[in-house]
Amino acid sequence: MDTEKLHLDTLAVRAGIERSQFNEHSEALYLTSSFVFANAAQAAARFSGAEPGYTYSRFTNPTVTAFQARLAALEGAEACVATASGMSAILATVMGLMKAGDHIVSSHSIFGATVQLFSTLLPKFGVTTTFVDGTDVSAWERALTPSTRMLFVETPSNPLTEIADIAALAAIARRAGVLLVVDNCFCSPALQRPLDLGADLVVHSATKHLDGQGRVMGGAVAGRADLVTEGIFPFLRTAGPSLSPFNAWVLLKGMETLGVRMQAQSARALILAQWLEMRPEIERVYYPGLTSHPQHVLAMRQQKSGGSIVSFVVRGGREAAWRVVDATRIISITANLGDTKTTITHPASTTHGRISPEARAAAGIGEGLLRLAVGLEHTEDLTRDLERGLAKV
Ligand SMILES: Cc1ncc(COP(=O)(O)O)c(C=O)c1O
């Protein structure tokens, strides 16, 4: 299939399918840990790579291959490798492409576990990170050192939906001879394709919008074939944080509805953001689709819409924010996002609870902040659910 000529909605349903001898219509699920060889010579040839084919599901499985091919098509990537989770996708990128002495420049508004990985785990192996304001292009440039190997950015960021200029960062990366890695979790390829804007690699928590129904964990790295296949894949093969075939199959089915889900969830998120902006109990709303968002123009240039995540600050700090959370009856109190079920999170005490108070303050994550990951329920039911708590603030 010539994937370059097809629209994302078509690729999401059709890309990556390789039918077995039974010619099944829906994607097959290959629940097997290993594959059988005709003879010893074939086993040796498969393991050495002299003969293409499947060997062992830690690093080769047809259902996982189908997921990789579909996501590569959606992102416009030369290659893609799947991982057990979004965090193992980020870890594999670093472990596969960097060495002791190397340096990362990262935006400070990134997912809490990524902050932990960069600031506490990687230094043990000699890889250091400088955190910058992701929206300040000159800050990225200033943070470069002769050892810098990678720029890492999440846009929109979690949870404040800050927008970094991917094309501008790609230009800096190119000039400096370093890699630009974009965590595309919030938008998914349905709303934003970082590789088209010059990024070298895209990382995903497939757990989020790619699944879209809150069922399985998964992750992926997509981008240049030399980086993915020669740099990151050998780490996955050896270290083993691989995606299970079952999860790959669930993700394949989830991706079929990615385009329509992202459109519908974004439309609902915009309605909720506009509604929240009018409420006197709310100090501030963060949503890239609002004209009041500081990077609204940039967001509308590099994204198709504002996305499904709306964050807002309730007047009255943690106590008031928790009151809003606790008054919900429909919205789920859980940390996941990208689900068809709307979720609400208090980042300061959950997703970003493990990072230091100073780092939290630097990232702008206050005690009154709540993150709403908007799903597919009717917006009137969602506003009524929030109104109950807001009335008590
Ligand atoms: C932006 C972002 N990146 C990465 C991750 C990590 O993904 P996972 O939970 O699949 O490891 C998350 C999880 O919430 C996230 O929000």
Side-chain angles (χ1 to χ4, degrees):
M1 189 165 44
D2 185 357
T3 57
E4 298 220 333
K5 292 199 176 70
L6 296 172
H7 290 88
L8 181 126
D9 284 343
T10 310
L11 294 171
V13 177
R14 297 281 173 181
I17 296 177
E18 206 171 304
R19 297 201 165 101
S20 76
Q21 73 273 30
F22 302 116
N23 223 15
E24 66 282 350
H25 187 210
S26 178
E27 296 80 351
L29 167 51
Y30 291 92
L31 270 185
T32 178
S33 44
S34 71
F35 298 82
V36 178
F37 311 108
N39 49 49
Q42 188 186 47
R46 289 270 177 92
F47 268 87
S48 73
E51 179 185 305
Y54 294 97
T55 52
Y56 188 61
S57 287
R58 180 175 357 99
F59 51 96
T60 50
N61 177 281
T63 314
V64 176
T65 301
F67 164 76
Q68 294 172 162
R70 183 165 296 175
L71 185 57
L74 297 186
E75 287 286 6
E78 286 173 5
C80 175
V81 281
T83 57
S85 65
M87 286 318 302
S88 51
I90 297 169
L91 176 68
T93 304
V94 173
M95 296 300 274
L97 300 175
M98 298 181 78
K99 59 181 189 326
D102 285 349
H103 173 247
I104 301 171
V105 183
S106 169
S107 52
H108 53 54
S109 294
I110 53 174
F111 180 56
T114 318
V115 175
Q116 285 289 110
L117 173 68
F118 287 177
S119 59
T120 64
L121 275 180
L122 295 185
K124 291 207 276 186
F125 303 95
V127 174
T128 55
T129 301
T130 301
F131 292 96
V132 297
D133 175 353
T135 65
D136 179 357
V137 175
S138 62
W140 290 87
E141 202 134 33
R142 285 197 304 277
L144 292 171
T145 74
S147 318
T148 305
R149 173 95 176 103
M150 183 184 289
L151 310 184
F152 183 92
V153 68
E154 198 183 298
T155 181
S157 69
N158 183 11
L160 293 183
T161 72
E162 288 172 1
I163 308 292
D165 188 334
I166 298 174
L169 295 184
I172 292 175
R174 216 172 306 120
R175 272 201 303 279
V178 304
L179 301 172
L180 174 62
V181 180
V182 179
D183 184 331
N184 201 23
C185 175
F186 267 36
C187 272
S188 88
L191 300 186
Q192 172 174 275
R193 297 217 317 177
L195 302 176
D196 292 347
L197 298 168
D200 299 286
L201 291 170
V202 166
V203 293
H204 270 288
S205 167
T207 318
K208 307 298 181 315
H209 292 108
L210 298 184
D211 173 9
Q213 286 144 88
R215 299 165 296 190
V216 297
M217 303 294 298
V221 190
R224 271 172 40 199
D226 59 327
L227 301 173
V228 172
T229 311
E230 288 157 38
I232 299 166
F233 175 71
F235 168 77
L236 291 171
R237 176 176 180 156
T238 304
S242 40
L243 183 67
S244 96
F246 179 77
N247 289 11
W249 180 81
V250 172
L251 292 167
L252 278 163
K253 302 318 277 177
M255 284 155 83
E256 290 183 351
T257 54
L258 181 67
V260 284
R261 277 189 286 109
M262 291 310 291
Q263 234 173 14
Q265 288 175 234
S266 280
R268 284 161 171 74
L270 179 61
I271 292 170
L272 280 176
Q274 287 166 338
W275 180 82
L276 285 164
E277 219 174 21
M278 304 298 287
R279 297 288 309 194
E281 307 88 348
I282 306 295
E283 200 174 297
R284 183 161 176 196
V285 181
Y286 300 87
Y287 184 65
L290 289 176
T291 51
S292 59
H293 189 284
Q295 294 99 35
H296 172 70
V297 175
L298 170 63
M300 293 303 101
R301 192 167 72 225
Q302 72 184 19
Q303 301 174 201
K304 285 201 180 119
S305 64
S308 66
I309 313 297
V310 181
S311 292
F312 57 99
V313 179
V314 185
R315 293 185 201 282
R318 177 181 291 213
E319 207 181 309
W322 278 24
R323 217 170 280 146
V324 174
V325 171
D326 290 346
T328 55
R329 289 180 197 156
I330 296 171
I331 299 171
S332 314
I333 308 170
T334 181
N336 200 25
L337 60 92
D339 196 319
T340 52
K341 295 178 176 66
T342 300
T343 66
I344 194 162
T345 313
H346 181 248
S349 57
T350 58
T351 52
H352 293 66
R354 281 188 303 159
I355 61 176
S356 70
E358 298 76 36
R360 227 176 12 245
I365 304 188
E367 292 291 335
L369 183 75
L370 291 177
R371 187 193 72 191
L372 209 54
V374 182
L376 289 178
E377 302 93 338
H378 198 289
T379 48
E380 280 174 18
D381 296 328
L382 295 176
T383 51
R384 218 172 297 130
D385 213 30
L386 292 169
E387 201 159 30
R388 200 174 307 110
L390 289 173
K392 293 186 194 156
V393 169

